[in-house]
Amino acid sequence: MKRAMVIGPVGAGKSSLIQALLQEDKPAVKTQSLVFRNWLIDTPGEYCENPLQYRFLIATSFDTKLLLLVQDATRKRNYFPPGFSGGFPVPSLGIITKIDHPDADMDKARRFLRQAMPKGDCYEVSSMTMSGIDELRELIGGLLQPKTNR
Ligand SMILES: Nc1nc2c(ncn2[C@@H]2O[C@H](COP(=O)(O)OP(=O)(O)OP(=O)(O)O)[C@@H](O)[C@H]2O)c(=O)[nH]1
Ligand SMILES: [Mg+2]
């Protein structure tokens, strides 16, 4: 089965998003390594923050169908390098998370994500209130579905 790989900086909310998408309610714990979880792959934020580790993400992405770039709506700076998604061999979807948070700055988050991901759609969710989660699960499910040839 081809999966979607979830990437983003430390504490962005990747594991919480995965828990929400998989409808599990244990709190997320710090991710120490690549974790295959059903149709999703969780990654440690460190892999995304240190250019020497980008290659782990890129190597793993060859066996996936979709990249989910997670942007925390409360961040004051962009942790993704410009055009980051272009270095991967699969299409990307941008996810702005923590939209429920009082410090969320949606305009800034959208701008940061667009710099990292010049192409591809962006979605806005909260893993806390579950806002947007059902729609996103449906959408990703459709994108991961094998195309049938007639
Ligand atoms: N308010 C709010 N907090 C969130 C949301 N999603 C995650 N958080 C909080 O953000 C913190 C980090 O969440 P994680 O899901 O562990 O982050 P991560 O990206 O997996 O981090 P690493 O595993 O270290 O790379 C936790 O304290 C979560 O409770 C959200 O949608 N809203
Ligand atoms: Mg995590």
Side-chain angles (χ1 to χ4, degrees):
M1 181 190 34
K2 292 272 189 179
R3 297 176 169 88
M5 183 169 81
V6 182
I7 67 172
V10 173
K14 300 176 295 298
S15 302
S16 305
L17 173 68
I18 289 175
Q19 296 278 100
L21 288 170
L22 297 179
Q23 293 170 290
E24 293 172 359
D25 53 14
K26 320 185 272 287
V29 291
K30 166 99 203 114
T31 312
Q32 308 282 3
S33 61
L34 287 174
V35 184
F36 287 68
R37 305 205 44 203
N38 203 325
W39 45 277
L40 292 161
I41 303 175
D42 200 358
T43 64
E46 287 79 2
Y47 284 12
C48 196
E49 290 189 19
N50 179 352
L52 291 172
Q53 300 191 309
Y54 291 169
R55 59 199 158 119
F56 295 123
L57 295 178
I58 293 168
T60 307
S61 72
F62 276 92
D63 203 32
T64 65
K65 206 160 176 184
L66 182 69
L67 197 66
L68 304 180
L69 259 73
V70 178
Q71 172 69 50
D72 177 342
T74 70
R75 291 294 160 98
K76 304 278 181 274
R77 75 169 186 90
N78 199 348
Y79 289 78
F80 291 118
F84 194 44
S85 68
F88 292 85
V90 285
S92 327
L93 211 61
I95 317 284
I96 299 174
T97 191
K98 308 197 193 181
I99 63 169
D100 64 282
H101 199 287
D103 297 338
D105 181 339
M106 297 311 296
D107 287 342
K108 189 176 273 177
R110 290 181 193 122
R111 206 167 58 241
F112 285 163
L113 199 49
R114 198 36 86 197
Q115 285 167 7
M117 205 189 77
K119 281 194 293 200
D121 291 338
C122 294
Y123 293 84
E124 300 175 0
V125 304
S126 165
S127 311
M128 203 73 105
T129 66
M130 299 296 276
S131 165
I133 295 290
D134 287 343
E135 295 85 343
L136 182 62
R137 183 188 307 112
E138 194 120 315
L139 177 84
I140 299 171
L143 294 173
L144 294 180
Q145 211 70 249
K147 293 219 171 47
T148 48
N149 297 314
R150 275 195 297 137

